[in-house]
Amino acid sequence: MISAGSLWLTVALSLALAELMTGSLVLLALAAAALITALAAALGVPLSVQLAVLGLSSAVCVPLAVWVIRPWFSPAGVNYGVAGTGAQHGERFHIVRRDYDGASGIKIKGDFFRARYVDAAPDDWPAEGAEVVLDHFEGTLARVRPGAPSSQPSPSAKSSTGAGQ
């Protein structure tokens, strides 16, 4: 029969290998927690204590991996914020038309968001090709302001493919 320590080592190895597919370090942190649990199992503690060790070590390892270790592997200056959190606030975009319904919007990292001017009438949508500056989001609606022409390509010009087209 397989020992509990060997079983936890198998779980840790499986989680570590699965981490190769994600790159988020969460599965690696869980693998570390399973490895700590394997050490507890090797000491002969009962299953209920092993599960408590797994829970406690996960509660320490996962935040440590996400908040402390993962930033070391992120490129400097890259903002991974979700679109609605203001990560792209103030950036310039060009208005594009969605193919299937003709909606005006901007693309952020390949995702399409309907766009409307901040102080616009209810049926006033930005024209295709207009340069705009993202002001804020109202739900999934991007509220934009007219942008002055610039010589640099907008973020929407950098990403030509993505979801929501």
Side-chain angles (χ1 to χ4, degrees):
M1 181 167 164
I2 190 167
S3 70
S6 298
L7 184 61
W8 285 115
L9 282 174
T10 303
V11 169
L13 181 60
S14 299
L15 288 167
L17 289 174
E19 174 61 36
L20 295 174
M21 301 294 187
T22 67
S24 66
L25 295 183
V26 173
L27 294 177
L28 191 60
L30 292 174
L35 186 62
I36 293 168
T37 307
L39 293 173
L43 295 174
V45 298
L47 179 61
S48 60
V49 175
Q50 291 175 33
L51 294 175
V53 168
L54 178 65
L56 291 173
S57 58
S58 294
V60 171
C61 291
V62 171
L64 180 71
V66 172
W67 295 330
V68 177
I69 299 171
R70 185 168 50 184
W72 292 349
F73 298 100
S74 297
V78 175
N79 190 348
Y80 288 110
V82 178
T85 63
Q88 290 80 20
H89 174 76
E91 288 188 19
R92 295 180 181 278
F93 296 90
H94 284 100
I95 297 294
V96 295
R97 292 263 185 226
R98 194 162 48 189
D99 293 339
Y100 66 88
D101 65 354
S104 296
I106 60 174
K107 280 191 165 186
I108 299 177
K109 297 181 181 174
D111 292 326
F112 180 87
F113 295 92
R114 285 171 131 359
R116 180 187 237 136
Y117 289 120
V118 173
D119 300 322
D123 59 347
D124 186 21
W125 298 92
E128 183 175 12
E131 185 168 316
V132 296
V133 175
L134 179 61
D135 188 74
H136 67 278
F137 276 91
E138 289 178 3
T140 59
L141 178 68
R143 299 302 294 226
V144 298
R145 296 189 182 279
S150 71
S151 60
Q152 295 180 351
S154 71
S156 63
K158 295 176 187 173
S159 172
S160 61
T161 61
Q165 287 185 356

